[in-house]
């Protein structure tokens, strides 16, 4: 399933765009988790477009895990904020 979802640009510094692939039909939760395991950003997408962009300017530089979850799927990918 992970090939359906993409995050770009990666590395990024201001905005992160999520390509939902074929998960656009379902409500999804997006979160960013820092290297200490703390959730630093969370957003719910009720009926996501194929592309959604979020502002991450407030986050510190480093490695994060980007997590998309819905009722049936959990996808995690590493994101670098520079």
């Amino acid at each position: 399933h992970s090939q359906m979802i993409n995050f770009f640009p990666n590395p990024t510094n201001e905005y992160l765009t999520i390509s939902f692939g074929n998960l656009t039909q379902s409500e999804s939760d997006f979160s960013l988790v820092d290297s200490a395991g703390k959730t630093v950003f969370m957003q719910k997408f009720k009926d996501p477009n194929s592309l959604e962009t979020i502002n991450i300017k407030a986050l510190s530089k480093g490695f994060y895990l980007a997590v998309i979850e819905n009722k049936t799927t959990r996808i995690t990918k590493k994101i670098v904020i520079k």
Side-chain angles (χ1 to χ4, degrees), residues 7 29-33 65-69 74-77:
F7 301 98
D29 292 325
F30 170 75
S31 57
L32 282 173
V33 180
L65 288 179
V67 182
I68 297 277
E69 282 186 281
R74 178 184 170 97
I75 295 167
T76 305
K77 292 196 177 183

Side-chain angles (χ1 to χ4, degrees), residues 31-43:
S31 57
L32 282 173
V33 180
D34 69 13
S35 57
K38 180 181 173 202
T39 299
V40 295
F41 183 91
M42 184 174 276
Q43 185 167 337

Side-chain angles (χ1 to χ4, degrees), residues 13-15 54-60:
N13 59 4
E14 292 186 359
Y15 295 95
I54 58 168
N55 183 330
I56 55 160
K57 287 181 189 177
L59 297 178
S60 301

Side-chain angles (χ1 to χ4, degrees), residues 7-74:
F7 301 98
F8 59 91
N10 188 15
T12 186
N13 59 4
E14 292 186 359
Y15 295 95
L16 183 66
T17 299
I18 306 164
S19 172
F20 277 90
N22 61 1
L23 287 186
T24 55
Q25 303 307 313
S26 60
E27 182 175 299
S28 295
D29 292 325
F30 170 75
S31 57
L32 282 173
V33 180
D34 69 13
S35 57
K38 180 181 173 202
T39 299
V40 295
F41 183 91
M42 184 174 276
Q43 185 167 337
K44 185 177 290 290
F45 293 98
K46 294 247 186 247
D47 190 14
N49 295 311
S50 55
L51 293 177
E52 296 280 355
T53 300
I54 58 168
N55 183 330
I56 55 160
K57 287 181 189 177
L59 297 178
S60 301
K61 294 177 184 179
F63 292 95
Y64 293 83
L65 288 179
V67 182
I68 297 277
E69 282 186 281
N70 63 23
K71 290 183 179 114
T72 60
T73 306
R74 178 184 170 97

